[in-house]
Every structure is written in structure tokens, then in C-alpha cells.
Amino acid sequence: MTFSLSAAPVGRLPIPGWEAFFGRNEQEFHDLWFYVWLVTDGDRTGLIDTGLPIGAADRAALDTANQALDPRCVFQDVRLLPEALDALGVRGEDVDFVLLTQTITYHTGGLLADLLPRATVYAAYAGVREMLCAPPGHPPTEFYFTGPSWSYLRDLAVGGRLVLADGPVEVAPGLTFEPTGGHHPGSAGVRVRCADGLLGLLETAFFARNIDEEIPVGIAEDAAACRRAIKHYRRVCDEVVALHDPGNAARFPITPRHARRPAS
């Protein structure tokens, strides 16, 4: 069984190069793009990440935190999950699973019961544990899911639809969710069997350059783990994609085959 992928852009964040490339004193700014990914085999339908917070106050808090690095670090071209679902041609009630490659609100902001009412949600156990048991300094604990998303996580856990992975988990044949750490303990990768081979998506690599030159991200909590994840994915995958690379929308376009399913 093979899957197809489409990337819907949901936000752009300008960042200085030193934030993206470990050990490089680069002052030039680069656009970090955020996406909601559609992954489907024609039967099962899933999302990779859910975009920025729905609430304006939560988005403003992210901008304030980012501006501590540089005043220019503000989210732009924001498109929230309902708009991304429309662009992808998918109804929230048709989403079978959600794979969260980061536990921070810029990846989990659309994780809400009314938007994704029946999905099984996968996240890295280490990211949730860090917030609960070993609060980090970067980012602050307030950015580990929003209040409404935390409430939904409880409902998911009670309903048996929350998978906190501490190792590779097969979501479906040909589709694996895998915590990687590196950027944060909550960072994860996804391995997808596509028509052209095994594709790896890495959150702990911002740009293609991180992968091509095996450079950890500049703000990695664990640079060595970040480098190991990049090397591992380059070894086991036919192609590795940096999750925030600006070219992803062009490489993984939304196509007519991702039409809405008829209402049941």
C-alpha cells in the first residue's frame, strides 16, 4: 500500500540563519514555512500537524515569544486549520488520524474536538512528559498545546484515541510515526511509503540544507540527537524532507484527487 502527500501552507515565520543552522553565525533571514499535510492511501485519511492556534490571543503570545529573538520574527500569511482543510478538500470528520511532529502550539493549534471529531492522535511521549515533569525554559510550558487542545487531549485519552509514542509506531502499513527529539523532546518524524519509495519527513530539520549538510537546527535542545535523526533518516529513507522548507508546497501540491468524500 502506498500513500500520497500534499502540503497546505499555513504560516510563514522569518528567522535569522543562526536559529536554523547550528554553529553558523548567520544573520541573514530565512522564511520558515509551516504546513498542514494531507496523507492518504485512498481509503485512510490523515493529517500531519494542525497549524497555528485558532485563538488570536494564543497566536499573539507566540509572536511575542518569537520577537524576543528578533522583532522581525512574527508569523505571516497565516491560514488556520479550517481554511487548510478547505484547501486540501477534506472534511474534519473524515480525518482518521493526526500525526503531531511537535507538541508546541504552532503545530498543534488546530487540535480541537469540533474540527477533528473522530481522529486518533499521535504525539511524542517525551514532549508531553517534558511539559508535565521537567518544564523546559525554551519554549515556556504555556506553549505546549493550548487550553482547548489540552481539554481535547483528555477526551482523546478517555476515548482510547490518544497514542503517546516512545518509539516507532506503525499507524498503518507503510506509514510510521517516530519520535526523534533533537529540536525539542516532542519532535517527531514520519516515514511514508509513496509510489517512488520511502519518504521521511523530519521536524528536527528546518530546511533542505539541514539535511543535505547534516547540520542540526540552531536552536536544538539536543544538537547531537538532531544530527543523529538526520543521519538515520538519510540512511533508511529514499528521500528526506525538512518539514519547514519553503519548497514543500511546490514539491507536494494539492491535486484534484484529494476531493472531498461524499457525505455518508
Side-chain angles (χ1 to χ4, degrees), residues 13-18 20-21 26 28-32 207 209:
L13 179 66
I15 62 169
W18 58 262
F21 306 114
E26 294 191 16
E28 179 185 357
F29 267 60
H30 305 266
D31 283 335
L32 199 68
F207 298 111
R209 180 181 165 192

Side-chain angles (χ1 to χ4, degrees), residues 161-246:
R161 294 191 289 124
L162 178 62
V163 179
L164 296 182
D166 58 3
V169 175
E170 185 181 69
V171 180
L175 180 63
T176 300
F177 175 82
E178 180 178 17
T180 61
H183 178 200
H184 295 303
S187 296
V190 179
R191 285 179 276 156
V192 188
R193 178 65 60 184
C194 299
D196 295 332
L198 187 64
L199 183 75
L201 299 174
L202 271 181
E203 193 281 333
T204 197
F206 287 174
F207 298 111
R209 180 181 165 192
N210 292 108
I211 294 169
D212 295 341
E213 300 180 27
E214 297 183 351
I215 305 173
V217 298
I219 55 171
E221 285 194 12
D222 187 336
C226 186
R227 185 181 285 110
R228 284 196 299 271
I230 294 171
K231 286 178 175 289
H232 172 63
Y233 266 58
R234 291 192 70 182
R235 184 171 63 252
V236 302
C237 297
D238 297 305
E239 182 181 4
V240 186
V241 175
L243 213 62
H244 298 292
D245 195 84

Side-chain angles (χ1 to χ4, degrees), residues 94-118:
D94 289 332
V95 175
D96 300 305
F97 57 86
V98 174
L99 313 180
L100 299 173
T101 65
Q102 182 58 271
T103 48
I104 311 304
T105 58
Y106 45 57
H107 282 215
T108 63
L111 188 63
L112 298 171
D114 59 335
L115 297 180
L116 300 164
R118 50 174 295 274

Side-chain angles (χ1 to χ4, degrees), residues 46-70:
L47 300 180
I48 302 173
D49 297 323
T50 65
L52 275 74
I54 300 298
D58 288 314
R59 295 197 304 277
L62 273 176
D63 280 336
T64 298
N66 286 324
Q67 287 178 299
L69 297 174
D70 189 285

Side-chain angles (χ1 to χ4, degrees), residues 120-165:
T120 296
V121 175
Y122 294 74
Y125 168 72
V128 177
R129 184 183 185 280
E130 180 186 46
M131 187 273 180
L132 294 175
C133 303
H138 171 71
T141 52
E142 66 186 280
F143 297 116
Y144 282 65
F145 302 101
T146 64
S149 291
W150 268 112
S151 178
Y152 188 31
L153 286 174
R154 178 190 181 277
D155 294 342
L156 289 167
V158 170
R161 294 191 289 124
L162 178 62
V163 179
L164 296 182

